[in-house]
Amino acid sequence: MKLIIGNKAYSSWSLRGWLACKQSGVPFEEVVVPLYDAEWDRRREGAEFAPSSGKVPILWDGEAVVWDSLAIVDYLADKVGRDLFWPADDGARAMARSMAAEMHSSFTALRRKHPMNIRQQFPATRPDDDVIVDLKRIMELWAQARARFGGDGAYLFGDFGAADIMFAPVVTRILTYQLPIARFAAGYLDAVIQHPFMQDWIAGAQEEDWVIEQFEQPIR
């Protein structure tokens, strides 16, 4: 398998696809493509990017190609077994899939106004009202998952899985911008950040030389 991703410091969707590949346990080649550099437009026109119209992440598995982070999760779950990604219990799995899908399609204010930058921590300020609405909903989802299905585990549904993969960039945004969270969520944030896969990703981000100035200060 070969996974093409963007900068580890900034690319939230790439993080999700990369975590999915790591979770699968299947060896893969990692190709990092700097976002928005001088060669970006030309590179996106290449054959490897054609199926996704130039977007990352994009996963090649022999002749099979899959793009979009949630699609990569499901492709790999089919390949290696869904138990590595989704809870075995029907109720828990239904909730995990719904949360992953909601993360995939929602929370646009949080994404737009607080882009991912793993290498930074900005001074805390009061978020805009629409961001507060997004954060409130995320806290509700996390609280429900932990209360109903978290058990003794550290993650949303006990073990690390697809729902945690989808929310991992949110965790980094909360820490980067010091956004307000419910008290219970602090332990979950720490569990995600300290996960070995996340530590590997963060280390890779710290080693990158590329800087995208538009993401190097809070957006207002």
Side-chain angles (χ1 to χ4, degrees), residues 12-50:
S12 59
W13 292 108
S14 293
L15 170 57
R16 293 180 174 103
W18 187 89
L19 287 173
C21 287
K22 295 290 284 187
Q23 181 73 357
S24 77
V26 178
F28 66 99
E29 176 188 0
E30 173 188 314
V31 180
V32 180
V33 179
L35 302 174
Y36 314 132
D37 69 355
E39 299 296 315
W40 175 242
D41 288 335
R42 180 194 60 78
R43 191 184 296 114
R44 294 171 71 195
E45 296 174 355
E48 285 190 319
F49 284 89

Side-chain angles (χ1 to χ4, degrees), residues 134-171:
D134 282 352
L135 290 168
K136 181 179 178 181
R137 175 59 178 165
I138 290 167
M139 293 300 107
E140 290 173 352
L141 291 171
W142 289 2
Q144 291 173 28
R146 292 289 303 142
R148 294 180 60 190
F149 302 112
D152 295 329
Y155 302 101
L156 293 175
F157 294 87
D159 296 328
F160 187 78
D164 306 294
I165 288 170
M166 293 303 293
F167 280 98
V170 170
V171 169

